[in-house]
């Protein structure tokens, strides 16, 4: 199995090397980068490229590691026993399989995405150390060990909201998706808008990267926001000259709301423009 990107996802050579190393070494790949740089989408594209099923475990602040393994619904079992329902003696009826259980017992290798692991409690990664290392876990209620039939391809994303434990990092390969330079970004845009006029794209990228260079922005516009912005420009059939005439110091670009996402950054941009007039 080898990942080289897809027709809808431009993967740099460094990213391809990281993904293929994780597949070969059978290690989880921890992917970091700015929001909107395609970390989550990467797992989807790996699954598409390799023809594998994708299992996604979205992590929230309240998510527990145990939920990725299984959950025992003792309350439902107690209620059913009080109601005299059949099958109460079979505890397996009250075991809900988690995403790791599904991945471990799949008939073939799957891609398992653990998305935004840094949202959970700091102990969350440590609680998965053995399971991700040995690819097995024990179900006490069933007195049964669930072991991976085929080791899944594990992609873990993080937005760096909190530091991850060293013991967890040692068990992962790591790749940071750097923000694309103009050449790479042009390739990404051409994948999504193959018929975009070159002059319009060049002018749009010049404004976009100029906006990212404004000092102090809390949320710099990302790749996904650039694509939304271009989609609006193309929908309205704006001529390239509109962007060529735009100057961040004198006039804000059209549909700025797709690029700037909070009042604080808008105020910073306005102050930045005022100082340069």
């Amino acid at each position: 199995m080898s990942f080289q990107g897809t027709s809808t996802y431009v993967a740099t050579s460094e990213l391809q090397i990281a993904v293929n190393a994780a597949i070969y070494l059978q290690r989880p790949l921890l992917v970091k980068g700015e929001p909107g740089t395609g970390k989550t989408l990467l797992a989807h594209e790996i699954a598409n490229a390799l023809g594998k099923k994708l299992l996604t475990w979205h992590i929230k602040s309240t998510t527990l590691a145990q939920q990725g393994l299984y959950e025992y619904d003792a309350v439902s079992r107690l209620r059913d026993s009080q109601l005299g329902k059949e099958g109460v003696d079979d505890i397996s009826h009250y075991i809900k399989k988690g995403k790791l259980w599904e991945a471990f017992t799949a008939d073939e290798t799957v891609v398992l995405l653990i998305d935004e692991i840094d949202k959970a409690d700091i102990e969350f990664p440590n609680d998965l150390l053995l399971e991700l290392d040995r690819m097995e876990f024990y179900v006490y209620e069933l007195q049964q060990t669930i072991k991976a039939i085929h080791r899944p391809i594990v992609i873990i994303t993080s937005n760096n909201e909190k530091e991850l434990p060293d013991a967890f990092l040692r068990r992962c390969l790591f790749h940071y998706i750097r923000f694309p330079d103009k050449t790479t970004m042009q390739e990404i845009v051409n994948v999504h808008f193959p018929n975009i006029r070159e002059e319009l794209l060049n002018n749009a990228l010049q404004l976009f990267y100029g906006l990212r260079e404004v000092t102090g922005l809390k949320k710099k516009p990302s790749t996904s926001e650039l694509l939304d912005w271009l989609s609006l420009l193309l929908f309205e059939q704006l001529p390239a000259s509109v962007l060529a005439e735009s100057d961040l110091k004198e006039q804000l670009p059209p549909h700025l709301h797709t690029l700037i996402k909070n009042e604080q950054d808008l105020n910073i941009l306005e102050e930045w423009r005022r100082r340069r007039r």
Side-chain angles (χ1 to χ4, degrees):
M1 293 185 290
S2 178
F3 176 70
Q4 299 177 332
T6 69
S7 60
T8 57
Y9 190 92
V10 176
T12 63
S13 59
E14 292 84 0
L15 179 55
Q16 293 179 37
I17 290 171
V19 171
N20 291 320
I23 293 174
Y24 175 75
L25 295 175
Q26 297 183 326
R27 293 249 183 193
L29 176 63
L30 174 63
V31 183
K32 293 186 179 182
E34 288 185 29
T37 50
K39 301 185 297 296
T40 298
L41 185 59
L42 172 63
H44 292 260
E45 297 300 330
I46 292 173
N48 289 336
L50 302 181
K52 302 298 182 182
K53 180 180 179 181
L54 174 68
L55 296 177
T56 302
W57 186 14
H58 294 292
I59 307 302
K60 302 178 181 179
S61 59
T62 56
T63 303
L64 301 176
Q66 180 64 34
Q67 294 170 321
L69 308 179
Y70 70 94
E71 292 181 271
Y72 168 49
D73 192 351
V75 175
S76 292
R77 189 184 186 201
L78 175 60
R79 183 184 62 245
D80 289 349
S81 66
Q82 292 172 338
L83 295 174
K85 288 190 176 182
E86 296 183 359
V88 175
D89 292 339
D90 188 351
I91 199 171
S92 64
H93 292 164
Y94 303 93
I95 298 290
K96 180 182 178 182
K97 298 178 180 179
K99 294 299 181 181
L100 268 71
W101 189 326
E102 292 181 35
F104 288 1
T105 57
D107 293 334
E108 62 176 4
T109 302
V110 301
V111 177
L112 173 63
L113 169 62
I114 304 178
D115 199 24
E116 298 188 332
I117 193 172
D118 53 322
K119 281 188 175 181
D121 182 86
I122 189 62
E123 291 302 323
F124 180 92
N126 282 333
D127 291 341
L128 290 177
L129 288 180
L130 292 179
E131 288 76 10
L132 290 177
D133 192 21
R134 299 180 182 177
M135 288 290 165
E136 66 179 43
F137 61 90
Y138 188 72
V139 183
Y140 293 94
E141 291 79 2
L142 301 179
Q143 298 183 10
Q144 177 184 357
T145 297
I146 304 299
K147 190 170 184 176
I149 301 173
H150 306 280
R151 292 179 71 98
I153 300 169
V154 181
I155 306 297
I156 304 171
T157 69
S158 170
N159 285 324
N160 257 350
E161 291 186 9
K162 61 172 66 77
E163 291 295 325
L164 299 174
D166 289 344
F168 178 80
L169 296 176
R170 283 198 300 271
R171 288 164 169 81
C172 300
L173 298 187
F174 170 75
H175 181 77
Y176 184 86
I177 298 182
R178 302 182 187 280
F179 196 83
D181 57 25
K182 288 186 179 180
T183 301
T184 304
M185 187 64 82
Q186 189 165 357
E187 294 179 23
I188 294 172
V189 172
N190 286 330
V191 165
H192 293 270
F193 306 107
N195 299 319
I196 191 170
R197 302 186 305 279
E198 184 176 354
E199 183 182 3
L200 176 64
L201 176 56
N202 289 337
N203 292 345
L205 288 180
Q206 182 174 350
L207 276 170
F208 174 77
Y209 280 96
L211 189 58
R212 282 184 54 86
E213 290 174 2
V214 173
T215 303
L217 290 183
K218 180 180 179 182
K219 170 68 175 72
K220 294 182 179 182
S222 66
T223 304
S224 61
E225 287 149 352
L226 170 64
L227 296 177
D228 288 342
W229 184 48
L230 289 174
S231 183
L232 282 175
L233 297 180
L234 292 172
F235 174 75
E236 294 192 352
Q237 299 182 342
L238 290 177
S241 59
V242 172
L243 298 183
E245 295 167 357
S246 294
D247 186 334
L248 286 177
K249 298 177 184 177
E250 302 296 334
Q251 180 182 356
L252 294 176
H255 298 300
L256 182 65
H257 58 277
T258 60
L259 299 173
I260 298 296
K261 295 298 182 70
N262 61 66
E263 183 180 0
Q264 176 184 340
D265 283 351
L266 185 60
N267 291 336
I268 289 173
L269 180 58
E270 291 287 0
E271 177 63 21
W272 179 87
R273 292 177 62 228
R274 186 187 65 79
R275 291 198 304 266
R276 283 161 177 74
R277 285 175 182 171

